[in-house]
Amino acid sequence: MKVTIKLFASLRAGRFDSEQRELPAGSDLAAAITAAGVEAREAAVVFVNSRHAEPARPLAEGDVVAIFPPVGGG
Amino acid sequence: MGAGLAEFLAASARGGLLPWQAEQEAAARYGAGAREVEAAALGSGLMPSRYARNAGTIGLAGQARLHAATVVVAGCGGLGGYLVELLARLGVGAIVAVDPDSFEESNLNRQLLATVSSLGLPKAEAAARRIREINPAVIARPVRAILDSRNAPAILEGADAVADGLDRIESRRDVASACAALGVPFVHAAVAGWYAQATVQAPGSRAVEELYGPREGAGVESDLGNPAFAPALAAAIEAAETCKLLLGLGRGLAGRLLSVDLLAMESAEFPL
């Protein structure tokens, strides 16, 4: 199945802004994060189709995944 | 004193605006403080001249509401220095500036109150001094402490909002949790490098704890550092959100995460 992965802020550096990835049917969000080359600890806030989601959430064809790094400075 | 003060102020106003000199004269003549004079002016329909350029956006009634409000600025560093500046100029009537630290050289790249001459001085005291320099009608209360869930009930007493000037994820979770327990809105922002994020945690919401989850350790700011533009931008967003909260205006960021990327010059918004 195809999913669109969008990276934000510093996660784009050396990776991409937005790309489609082919994942095995039944893959979960954690698999999409791995497919984007993002380590689990780097993915602080993740949305699927603009809804906050946990790594175990199953994905479906056409889902849009948005991944943000942890931002905590002041 | 009340009627005499009001008459004096009315006679001193020019075109509905009250010059600072008249406020000072009124204070001396009636033995009142700057705050009391400003309250009397706003209560009798006079806008202090310092707020002339607020008038079209905030209005007299709004200015009076801001004057009656108390905002806690949690952390007086990169975000907090700008927050203190903006909230004092806006005319928020009482600002509680909380920070345990003193200025050091690495603060000079971004922290408004960090100057060569303020190195070594406590940030909370510097914030209070700056507030009094800008606007003597604002109550400035410095607190040299780490705001946390234990001291929050005392420090947040009477607060209408808490503005996030913190610099650690753990502190934000703790203060946001305390705000949730006390029913005080928490106006959040955080920065790293070219990037800023902001949201508003309304009373009854746990948005900031949900946003960060149980994560340990620092965010990407530990690698990227914090140049000046992201905290200045994020603090301006926080000040606008705080103003909207206090006045009940516009569409706030509650329930939404705003993310700004100054490198790509893009913003994105997601529901929380």
Short mmCIF file of all heavy atoms in Angstrom, two decimals, chain A residues 38-61:
data_model
loop_
_atom_site.label_atom_id
_atom_site.label_comp_id
_atom_site.label_asym_id
_atom_site.label_seq_id
_atom_site.Cartn_x
_atom_site.Cartn_y
_atom_site.Cartn_z
N VAL A 38 13.54 7.63 10.04
CA VAL A 38 13.48 8.41 11.29
C VAL A 38 13.49 7.44 12.46
O VAL A 38 12.74 6.46 12.46
CB VAL A 38 12.19 9.27 11.32
CG1 VAL A 38 12.03 9.97 12.67
CG2 VAL A 38 12.21 10.29 10.18
N GLU A 39 14.37 7.68 13.43
CA GLU A 39 14.39 6.82 14.62
C GLU A 39 13.19 7.14 15.50
O GLU A 39 12.72 8.28 15.53
CB GLU A 39 15.67 7.06 15.43
CG GLU A 39 16.92 6.54 14.73
CD GLU A 39 18.16 6.78 15.58
OE1 GLU A 39 18.07 6.65 16.82
OE2 GLU A 39 19.19 7.13 14.99
N ALA A 40 12.72 6.13 16.23
CA ALA A 40 11.51 6.30 17.06
C ALA A 40 11.66 7.48 18.01
O ALA A 40 10.72 8.26 18.20
CB ALA A 40 11.23 5.02 17.83
N ARG A 41 12.88 7.66 18.60
CA ARG A 41 13.04 8.74 19.58
C ARG A 41 13.02 10.13 18.94
O ARG A 41 12.84 11.13 19.61
CB ARG A 41 14.33 8.55 20.38
CG ARG A 41 15.57 8.61 19.54
CD ARG A 41 16.85 8.54 20.36
NE ARG A 41 18.00 8.60 19.46
CZ ARG A 41 18.47 9.73 18.95
NH1 ARG A 41 17.92 10.88 19.26
NH2 ARG A 41 19.49 9.70 18.12
N GLU A 42 13.23 10.16 17.59
CA GLU A 42 13.19 11.45 16.88
C GLU A 42 11.77 11.86 16.52
O GLU A 42 11.53 13.01 16.14
CB GLU A 42 13.98 11.37 15.56
CG GLU A 42 15.46 11.09 15.70
CD GLU A 42 16.10 10.96 14.33
OE1 GLU A 42 15.89 9.91 13.67
OE2 GLU A 42 16.78 11.90 13.91
N ALA A 43 10.84 10.91 16.56
CA ALA A 43 9.46 11.18 16.14
C ALA A 43 8.63 11.50 17.38
O ALA A 43 8.06 10.63 18.02
CB ALA A 43 8.88 9.98 15.41
N ALA A 44 8.58 12.78 17.73
CA ALA A 44 7.93 13.15 18.99
C ALA A 44 6.43 13.24 18.84
O ALA A 44 5.68 12.82 19.73
CB ALA A 44 8.47 14.50 19.46
N VAL A 45 6.00 13.83 17.76
CA VAL A 45 4.57 14.04 17.55
C VAL A 45 4.25 13.55 16.14
O VAL A 45 4.87 13.97 15.17
CB VAL A 45 4.19 15.54 17.66
CG1 VAL A 45 2.67 15.69 17.73
CG2 VAL A 45 4.85 16.19 18.86
N VAL A 46 3.30 12.62 16.04
CA VAL A 46 2.98 12.04 14.74
C VAL A 46 1.48 12.11 14.51
O VAL A 46 0.68 11.83 15.41
CB VAL A 46 3.47 10.57 14.67
CG1 VAL A 46 3.31 10.04 13.25
CG2 VAL A 46 4.93 10.47 15.11
N PHE A 47 1.14 12.52 13.31
CA PHE A 47 -0.27 12.62 12.93
C PHE A 47 -0.52 11.69 11.74
O PHE A 47 0.32 11.55 10.85
CB PHE A 47 -0.60 14.05 12.50
CG PHE A 47 -0.41 15.07 13.60
CD1 PHE A 47 0.81 15.72 13.76
CD2 PHE A 47 -1.45 15.38 14.47
CE1 PHE A 47 0.98 16.66 14.77
CE2 PHE A 47 -1.28 16.32 15.47
CZ PHE A 47 -0.06 16.97 15.63
N VAL A 48 -1.68 11.05 11.74
CA VAL A 48 -2.14 10.31 10.56
C VAL A 48 -3.42 10.98 10.10
O VAL A 48 -4.38 11.11 10.87
CB VAL A 48 -2.39 8.82 10.89
CG1 VAL A 48 -2.96 8.10 9.66
CG2 VAL A 48 -1.10 8.15 11.34
N ASN A 49 -3.38 11.44 8.86
CA ASN A 49 -4.53 12.17 8.30
C ASN A 49 -4.96 13.29 9.24
O ASN A 49 -6.14 13.47 9.54
CB ASN A 49 -5.70 11.22 8.01
CG ASN A 49 -5.28 10.08 7.10
OD1 ASN A 49 -4.40 10.25 6.25
ND2 ASN A 49 -5.89 8.92 7.28
N SER A 50 -3.95 14.02 9.73
CA SER A 50 -4.15 15.18 10.60
C SER A 50 -4.73 14.85 11.97
O SER A 50 -5.25 15.73 12.65
CB SER A 50 -5.02 16.25 9.92
OG SER A 50 -4.32 16.83 8.85
N ARG A 51 -4.62 13.58 12.37
CA ARG A 51 -5.05 13.21 13.73
C ARG A 51 -3.86 12.65 14.48
O ARG A 51 -3.14 11.78 13.95
CB ARG A 51 -6.17 12.15 13.68
CG ARG A 51 -7.48 12.69 13.17
CD ARG A 51 -8.18 13.50 14.23
NE ARG A 51 -9.14 14.44 13.64
CZ ARG A 51 -9.70 15.47 14.29
NH1 ARG A 51 -9.37 15.72 15.53
NH2 ARG A 51 -10.55 16.26 13.69
N HIS A 52 -3.67 13.11 15.71
CA HIS A 52 -2.59 12.63 16.58
C HIS A 52 -2.70 11.11 16.69
O HIS A 52 -3.78 10.59 16.94
CB HIS A 52 -2.78 13.28 17.96
CG HIS A 52 -1.54 13.30 18.78
ND1 HIS A 52 -1.54 13.66 20.11
CD2 HIS A 52 -0.26 13.02 18.49
CE1 HIS A 52 -0.30 13.61 20.57
NE2 HIS A 52 0.49 13.23 19.62
N ALA A 53 -1.60 10.38 16.50
CA ALA A 53 -1.67 8.91 16.48
C ALA A 53 -0.47 8.30 17.20
O ALA A 53 0.59 8.89 17.29
CB ALA A 53 -1.71 8.42 15.03
N GLU A 54 -0.68 7.08 17.70
CA GLU A 54 0.36 6.32 18.39
C GLU A 54 1.04 5.36 17.40
O GLU A 54 0.45 5.00 16.38
CB GLU A 54 -0.26 5.53 19.55
CG GLU A 54 -0.88 6.40 20.62
CD GLU A 54 0.11 7.39 21.25
OE1 GLU A 54 1.26 6.99 21.51
OE2 GLU A 54 -0.27 8.56 21.45
N PRO A 55 2.29 4.93 17.72
CA PRO A 55 3.06 4.09 16.77
C PRO A 55 2.36 2.79 16.36
O PRO A 55 2.58 2.29 15.25
CB PRO A 55 4.35 3.79 17.54
CG PRO A 55 4.49 4.90 18.53
CD PRO A 55 3.09 5.30 18.90
N ALA A 56 1.52 2.23 17.24
CA ALA A 56 0.89 0.94 16.92
C ALA A 56 -0.32 1.09 16.00
O ALA A 56 -0.91 0.09 15.58
CB ALA A 56 0.47 0.25 18.22
N ARG A 57 -0.66 2.28 15.66
CA ARG A 57 -1.85 2.49 14.84
C ARG A 57 -1.65 1.87 13.44
O ARG A 57 -0.68 2.16 12.75
CB ARG A 57 -2.12 3.98 14.68
CG ARG A 57 -3.32 4.20 13.78
CD ARG A 57 -3.45 5.61 13.31
NE ARG A 57 -4.14 5.60 12.04
CZ ARG A 57 -5.26 6.25 11.82
NH1 ARG A 57 -5.80 6.98 12.74
NH2 ARG A 57 -5.83 6.17 10.64
N PRO A 58 -2.59 0.99 13.00
CA PRO A 58 -2.46 0.43 11.65
C PRO A 58 -2.72 1.49 10.58
O PRO A 58 -3.55 2.38 10.78
CB PRO A 58 -3.54 -0.65 11.61
CG PRO A 58 -4.32 -0.55 12.86
CD PRO A 58 -3.75 0.52 13.72
N LEU A 59 -2.01 1.38 9.48
CA LEU A 59 -2.19 2.33 8.38
C LEU A 59 -3.00 1.70 7.25
O LEU A 59 -3.10 0.48 7.15
CB LEU A 59 -0.82 2.76 7.84
CG LEU A 59 0.07 3.53 8.82
CD1 LEU A 59 1.39 3.89 8.16
CD2 LEU A 59 -0.63 4.79 9.33
N ALA A 60 -3.55 2.56 6.40
CA ALA A 60 -4.33 2.09 5.25
C ALA A 60 -3.83 2.81 4.00
O ALA A 60 -3.16 3.85 4.09
CB ALA A 60 -5.81 2.38 5.48
N GLU A 61 -4.13 2.23 2.86
CA GLU A 61 -3.77 2.82 1.57
C GLU A 61 -4.17 4.30 1.54
O GLU A 61 -5.28 4.66 1.93
CB GLU A 61 -4.51 2.05 0.46
CG GLU A 61 -4.43 2.64 -0.93
CD GLU A 61 -3.07 2.39 -1.60
OE1 GLU A 61 -2.41 1.41 -1.24
OE2 GLU A 61 -2.69 3.20 -2.49
#
